[in-house]
Amino acid sequence: MNRLAEETSPYLQQHKDNPVDWYPWGDEAFARARAEDKPILLSVGYAACHWCHVMAHESFEDPATAEVMNRNFVNVKVDREERPDVDSVYMEAVQAMSGHGGWPMTVWLTPDGHPFYGGTYYPNTPRMGMPAFTQLCEGIAEAWRERRDEVVSKAGKLTELLNESGRFEAAGDDLPGIDAVDRAAAQLAERFDPQWGGFGRAPKFPQPDLLELLLRVHARTQESAPLALVTTTLDAMASGGIYDHVGGGFHRYSVDREWLVPHFEKMLYDQALLARVYLHAWQVTGEQRHLQVASETIDYVRRDLRHPEGGFYSSEDADSEGVEGKFYVWSRAEVQELGGDAAVDWYGVTPAGNFEGANILIRPVRGDLVRPPEVEAARQALFERRETRVRPGLDDKVLTEWNGLFLATLAEAAAATGRSDWLDDARTGADFLLASLRRQDGRWLRSWQGGRANHLAYAADYAALASAFTKLAEATGEARWVAEARGVADGLLHLFWDDGAGLRGPNAATGGLFTAGGDAEQLITRAKDVLDNVIPSANGSAAVALVRLAALTGEERYRDRAADIVRLVAEPLSRHPTAFAHLLAAVELLHGPVTEVAVTGDRRDLVEVVQRRYLPTAVLAWGEPYPSPLFENRDQGWAYVCQHYSCKIPTDNVEELEAQLAG
């Protein structure tokens, strides 16, 4: 075993028996590189990454390749999910060098951490005119020995580029307007695939924040076009092979336009964000198929990714028994045996199959997802048979950020549907995080596995927690969750806010959140996560959470910081609004204004009126009072619909409350 055997990351543990002399990221590796005057070979991946496994089998498990690596480099292995700060800095470098990125990521660094060469997956046989990985390693080692000045100069210029790209300058005191949201919606309509839904061509990733943006535009304008983009996409995804029709939940992305053939890994963050957008679509449309997909996705996580004490695991692998997708595909004979003609027809099963001679189950009649009894019985039989197969590998670490994303969805879904079991699991999950991932001094940690938690939490972790605790307060009416949300928000602003101390030049702007805290390891550049991608950025997630928490508590300092974040990216947001889809929710909340709803006394009927509706610019205070203008001088048994804490005539009538909310 190498040094990775004692790590908490299942991904690193997968490499503990490699002949490569791996180090985890840390001082020991860099000290050896300096002492022996060798470059660092940095390899970054994650447990559910199919091509990471391919490169491991081809190169890292091969003694001859390991000999080349060990002789020429100090080799460092990083789990991108545990160390998103390391991953983001060097991914930006790889994208600058090669024009693209992805995992596995392979980067060569000087002994002080500056990148000078890198890429993604490197095959270990010559291919398409490129050398084998071992030849590349020998060539890089030769360049380090023979052309050192050139290598160091390139590394220095690349580091300067990274520092420059991380600087933002607030354009002024004005906030971007609602027109930025509408421009983003218009751009999405131009990029929309009218036949198969989604945006762009293959490969297609689910992009729930883009769909959420369109739902918000529909809610504000009542225009049908944005909603049509959403429902077309949701129906196409849930009818395709990217959705697990037997066990629920979504695979990571589709290799084709049709959402047919996925990369089969399942990530917790995808389940969290996709279940949320399907829930919201159900609230808007009332269509049972949307609720079915949301429910099955949530229950997949509760069944297969839940730690017995309450936290939720990170992912399931694409491979089982060394074969991608083997756990999920079927022969026609199997489906016929277990489900008969009804299942064969419903799932579009053929003798030839649609994936390497086997069948990925799909629903050929797009959007016709609510199963009749005979198909539901067949689905259950298929599920029970599938449970006897060898499961894909499980990454059983608990990540604070991804748990926060899922807990926010679980709490909101429980409130909207009245599912008390979901709400119980949301409470238990939050309590697990509080007990296992928060130090006694209040500092949150990023990752837990096997009873051990390490790595300081990042801004994205704090932002996701603030959102989750706020949603729990709105779902349960329990004041303790507001207190927890405020504690997290205060820690976020204390540890991560750019007050100028991190400046590297006289003209660099301040404001916004650094990725890593001021008490964390300082990398070659101090990055800010501002672009919303498949997962909301740390700054986007924080801005939304802070505005909502300000509305619930009356703490204007939270709103002020959210506005500062929006101002910081106002200029790039004006040019590329779809790159800030989640942050644009904060723009809407800041301009809204936020609708504050307070229900006093024991009036669950009034509470449920609010919880059932899709109200993207509203917050709800009810149950146990906590310090807030929403609970001051309110008579018991009434609902108050307010903006800036100025309220309409209070009502104790369900129909009147519905009318006020609709208005």
Side-chain angles (χ1 to χ4, degrees):
M1 292 185 182
N2 55 43
R3 296 167 186 81
L4 303 183
E6 297 303 316
E7 292 297 305
T8 57
S9 161
Y11 173 67
L12 298 188
Q13 291 172 4
Q14 289 171 0
H15 295 80
K16 69 181 188 299
D17 295 316
N18 292 170
V20 177
D21 186 17
W22 290 117
Y23 284 79
W25 180 274
D27 292 339
E28 184 182 1
F30 286 94
R32 181 181 168 191
R34 289 190 294 269
E36 298 183 7
D37 193 30
K38 289 181 177 179
I40 297 279
L41 190 161
L42 173 64
S43 175
V44 181
Y46 57 100
C49 168
H50 172 71
W51 288 101
C52 298
H53 300 322
V54 172
M55 190 166 179
H57 297 323
E58 290 180 346
S59 295
F60 306 148
E61 296 171 7
D62 175 55
T65 304
E67 190 278 327
V68 173
M69 294 171 64
N70 295 338
R71 171 164 42 86
N72 291 300
F73 312 115
V74 174
N75 303 290
V76 175
K77 176 64 75 172
V78 166
D79 182 341
R80 67 173 293 258
E81 296 168 357
E82 280 195 335
R83 292 300 303 265
D85 56 337
V86 173
D87 176 65
S88 64
V89 166
Y90 293 105
M91 182 60 72
E92 187 172 354
V94 166
Q95 290 170 330
M97 286 185 279
S98 66
H100 65 275
W103 299 275
M105 176 171 64
T106 313
V107 197
W108 283 266
L109 321 175
T110 65
D112 54 359
H114 297 275
F116 61 86
Y117 193 83
T120 55
Y121 162 71
Y122 289 107
N124 211 7
T125 54
R127 186 178 301 176
M128 298 177 63
M130 293 188 62
F133 180 62
T134 50
Q135 295 172 292
L136 180 63
C137 287
E138 294 283 19
I140 289 172
E142 180 183 4
W144 178 254
R145 292 190 302 267
E146 305 297 332
R147 300 189 300 278
R148 178 74 59 88
D149 290 346
E150 177 184 334
V151 170
V152 171
S153 175
K154 180 179 180 181
K157 291 177 181 177
L158 191 54
T159 301
E160 289 179 11
L161 178 65
L162 297 179
N163 282 324
E164 286 296 329
S165 68
R167 292 175 182 165
F168 298 88
E169 184 173 353
D173 292 333
D174 293 336
L175 290 169
I178 293 295
D179 61 307
V181 183
D182 294 332
R183 285 200 310 276
Q187 290 180 13
L188 291 177
E190 293 174 359
R191 291 165 43 195
F192 184 68
D193 180 345
Q195 183 176 3
W196 293 101
F199 307 98
R201 304 184 68 84
K204 274 187 177 173
F205 286 80
Q207 294 178 292
D209 266 337
L210 300 183
L211 301 178
E212 294 279 11
L213 183 151
L214 292 168
L215 280 177
R216 295 194 306 271
V217 170
H218 167 74
R220 172 168 50 83
T221 66
Q222 293 302 299
E223 294 176 358
S224 60
L227 181 60
L229 303 188
V230 174
T231 56
T232 298
T233 302
L234 295 182
D235 287 345
M237 288 195 302
S239 300
I242 195 173
Y243 183 67
D244 180 358
H245 292 265
V246 171
F250 286 86
H251 301 295
R252 185 163 169 256
Y253 68 93
S254 171
V255 303
D256 50 60
R257 278 183 66 200
E258 297 85 0
W259 307 104
L260 172 62
V261 178
H263 264 301
F264 288 90
E265 60 263 41
K266 285 181 169 181
M267 315 301 293
L268 177 60
Y269 60 78
D270 281 327
Q271 317 315 318
L273 299 172
L274 287 167
R276 189 181 306 175
V277 74
Y278 277 92
L279 175 77
H280 292 162
W282 167 70
Q283 289 177 305
V284 171
T285 67
E287 293 290 347
Q288 184 64 26
R289 67 186 187 273
H290 297 143
L291 179 59
Q292 175 180 293
V293 174
S295 300
E296 290 177 353
T297 301
I298 288 170
D299 284 337
Y300 154 68
V301 175
R302 296 172 63 237
R303 183 188 67 236
D304 292 340
L305 296 183
R306 187 175 184 271
H307 186 278
E309 296 177 13
F312 295 94
Y313 301 135
S314 297
S315 64
E316 286 194 294
D317 207 334
D319 302 357
S320 53
E321 300 182 86
V323 179
E324 184 181 12
K326 184 175 182 179
F327 182 75
Y328 296 101
V329 299
W330 302 86
S331 68
R332 188 187 188 283
E334 285 179 296
V335 178
Q336 182 72 47
E337 172 200 348
L338 295 165
D341 291 342
V344 169
D345 293 342
W346 184 267
Y347 291 120
V349 176
T350 65
N354 55 20
F355 176 70
E356 300 179 356
N359 286 275
I360 301 169
L361 300 189
I362 61 172
R363 182 69 186 111
V365 183
R366 186 189 301 175
D368 183 21
L369 299 170
V370 179
R371 295 178 288 267
E374 64 273 18
V375 175
E376 175 55 27
R379 186 205 65 79
Q380 185 62 37
L382 291 166
F383 176 80
E384 291 172 359
R385 173 66 63 84
R386 199 176 76 175
E387 287 295 282
T388 67
R389 298 177 178 177
V390 176
R391 290 197 69 88
L394 174 69
D395 186 335
D396 64 350
K397 67 179 182 292
V398 175
L399 292 174
T400 302
E401 177 192 8
W402 298 6
N403 272 252
L405 294 174
F406 184 71
L407 290 175
T409 295
L410 189 56
E412 185 177 351
T417 61
R419 286 283 298 265
S420 60
D421 54 338
W422 290 358
L423 195 56
D424 289 342
D425 281 356
R427 286 191 188 94
T428 303
D431 284 331
F432 178 90
L433 298 182
L434 288 163
S436 302
L437 282 145
R438 186 172 65 175
R439 293 191 318 209
Q440 290 186 347
D441 64 358
R443 184 52 157 106
W444 283 88
L445 303 172
R446 168 73 176 178
S447 177
W448 178 98
Q449 194 268 344
R452 293 186 294 162
N454 57 15
H455 303 298
L456 295 177
Y458 300 95
D461 297 295
Y462 276 74
L465 284 171
S467 177
F469 291 149
T470 303
K471 292 286 188 181
L472 267 168
E474 294 175 291
T476 64
E478 295 167 0
R480 72 177 180 122
W481 299 116
V482 174
E484 296 293 358
R486 292 183 64 161
V488 170
D490 291 344
L492 174 72
L493 297 177
H494 172 68
L495 289 165
F496 300 93
W497 192 258
D498 180 3
D499 59 2
L503 295 180
R504 294 182 181 274
N507 298 319
T510 60
L513 298 161
F514 289 116
T515 297
D519 57 345
E521 174 190 3
Q522 300 302 302
L523 302 178
I524 58 171
T525 188
R526 198 172 182 199
K528 290 178 182 174
D529 177 23
V530 299
L531 297 178
D532 295 317
N533 206 304
V534 176
I535 302 178
S537 69
N539 278 274
S541 182
V544 174
L546 290 169
V547 179
R548 298 189 79 253
L549 186 57
L552 284 169
T553 62
E555 287 279 2
E556 284 300 302
R557 60 195 176 94
Y558 296 144
R559 186 186 186 281
D560 292 343
R561 286 307 198 198
D564 288 341
I565 291 172
V566 172
R567 290 189 187 97
L568 186 68
V569 298
E571 193 276 328
L573 185 151
S574 68
R575 290 183 288 111
H576 307 290
T578 59
F580 300 89
H582 193 80
L583 185 73
L584 285 171
V587 172
E588 292 175 272
L589 288 165
L590 289 164
H591 280 286
V594 176
T595 297
E596 306 114 0
V597 183
V599 178
T600 59
D602 186 14
R603 292 299 305 271
R604 292 299 297 269
D605 56 336
L606 298 175
V607 171
E608 289 169 4
V609 168
V610 184
Q611 291 177 333
R612 285 197 305 265
R613 295 181 67 92
Y614 177 62
L615 298 168
T617 58
V619 296
L620 171 63
W622 67 283
E624 300 170 355
Y626 51 82
S628 168
L630 293 173
F631 285 109
E632 294 174 0
N633 303 316
R634 305 293 187 203
D635 293 328
Q636 296 296 298
W638 296 82
Y640 299 80
V641 178
C642 317
Q643 290 183 339
H644 297 308
Y645 311 108
S646 176
C647 305
K648 298 180 181 180
I649 297 173
T651 181
D652 63 352
N653 180 273
V654 166
E655 289 75 18
E656 174 60 26
L657 177 58
E658 289 176 339
Q660 289 191 13
L661 293 172

